Amino acid sequence: GARYIHIFVPCPLGWGSASHDTILLARLARETGIFPVFEAERGEVVSVSKIRRPLPVEEYLKPQKRFAHLFGKTPATETIARIQAMADRNIRKFGLLQEGAE
């Protein structure tokens, strides 16, 4: 039958990040809840990659020049808070927190 796989691949050139940070950015996307890693069968989530210690989204956003406007002289705290809320929603929706995590 048909299968679908969605892969998260950071793009150093387009994102304005160092090429040696590619793996780090992918891990930060998962550990902040921005990109939940899960498996689904017939529309039902059957497994998730748990987060041991959730990180704030700023750790994922700051190393990328494409988000520099959020951290300028006047930080866009409301926008960052909305992104954090989306990540937090992903963490709750998919049950990403490992037992005993913060």
Side-chain angles (χ1 to χ4, degrees):
R3 302 285 189 267
Y4 172 80
I5 186 167
H6 186 115
I7 300 174
F8 182 85
V9 181
C11 175
L13 184 60
W15 293 8
S17 60
S19 59
H20 66 269
D21 285 339
T22 300
I23 292 172
L24 173 67
L25 286 175
R27 286 184 180 148
L28 288 172
R30 185 184 68 83
E31 292 171 2
T32 58
I34 295 255
F35 191 86
V37 177
F38 65 94
E39 182 180 348
E41 292 178 8
R42 295 175 183 81
E44 298 294 323
V45 174
V46 295
S47 70
V48 298
S49 179
K50 298 284 188 174
I51 299 171
R52 281 186 234 154
R53 186 176 53 96
L55 299 173
V57 295
E58 287 95 337
E59 291 195 31
Y60 168 72
L61 301 172
K62 279 184 179 178
Q64 303 174 62
K65 287 184 181 150
R66 66 183 179 147
F67 295 117
H69 63 285
L70 298 177
F71 302 99
K73 288 182 182 178
T74 335
T77 53
E78 287 182 28
T79 302
I80 295 168
R82 282 197 311 270
I83 296 168
Q84 183 66 60
M86 289 172 25
D88 294 343
R89 232 180 351 265
N90 284 341
I91 290 170
R92 284 190 310 275
K93 177 181 178 179
F94 294 100
L96 299 177
L97 281 185
Q98 186 171 327
E99 234 9 78
E102 300 164 11

